[in-house]
Amino acid sequence: MPNPRQVLIVEDDDLLTQMYQASLANSGFVLRWEKDGESAWAALQSYVPDLVILDIMLPKMNGLEILTKLRSDPRLTHVAVVVMTSLMDPTDQQKALSLGATAYWVKKDVNMLTFANSLQSFLPPAPAV
C-alpha cells in the first residue's frame, strides 16, 4: 500500500477547515492544520508535505509571504501549493501564480464534492512500495 499523501491546510477559518477535512476524510490524505502564517512556516521547517492548501489572508504572516519563503527553500520547491482564497481580483491570482502557486482557487467556487479528486491532479504519482 502506498504511503499516504501529506497535506498541510493553512487556514484561519475553523468552519472552512472542517469542510476541507470532511471532504478529504476518505481520500487517503494525512492532514495537518495550521491557523496562521507563522505557525505554518514553523511547521514547514520540520515537515515536508506533498501539498499545501494555502489561504492568503492569514494572521501573523500572509499566504503570499509563506509562498515566497516556500519557493525559496530548496527542501520545499517541489511541494504543490493550491492557494484557496476569497480574493477574486485577477491581479491577486496573477501575483500568487507568479510567486509559484500551483493553482489559485476562489473559495466560493470550490465544489466540496469533487475537492479531493481535484487536489489529486496536483500531486506527483505516489511512489511504489
Side-chain angles (χ1 to χ4, degrees):
M1 183 171 152
N3 292 334
R5 309 315 281 278
Q6 304 289 318
V7 176
L8 174 61
I9 300 169
V10 187
E11 173 62 64
D12 61 331
D13 183 308
D14 294 349
L15 180 59
L16 277 174
T17 300
Q18 289 170 10
M19 289 173 50
Y20 299 162
Q21 290 172 328
S23 179
L24 297 172
N26 297 315
S27 64
F29 291 129
V30 174
L31 305 175
R32 180 171 178 167
W33 174 33
E34 298 295 340
K35 290 182 76 162
D36 67 69
E38 283 182 2
S39 64
W41 183 244
L44 287 166
Q45 299 313 292
S46 61
Y47 160 76
V48 179
D50 297 295
L51 173 73
V52 175
I53 299 169
L54 181 62
D55 190 10
I56 291 179
M57 298 183 299
L58 294 166
K60 301 184 182 177
M61 182 189 306
N62 74 46
L64 296 179
E65 291 172 293
I66 295 167
L67 181 58
T68 299
K69 288 178 169 234
L70 191 145
R71 289 298 180 231
S72 66
D73 186 326
R75 296 174 315 105
L76 302 169
T77 56
H78 69 283
V79 175
V81 178
V82 175
V83 171
M84 291 206 31
T85 182
S86 299
L87 302 175
M88 295 184 285
D89 189 317
T91 59
D92 294 316
Q93 179 178 11
Q94 291 169 347
K95 174 91 172 172
L97 293 173
S98 73
L99 291 173
T102 309
Y104 186 98
W105 293 349
V106 176
K107 291 175 183 177
K108 71 173 190 62
D109 297 335
V110 174
N111 180 340
M112 283 297 138
L113 297 175
T114 60
F115 183 60
N117 286 339
S118 298
L119 291 176
Q120 291 283 358
S121 68
F122 300 115
L123 296 169
V129 185

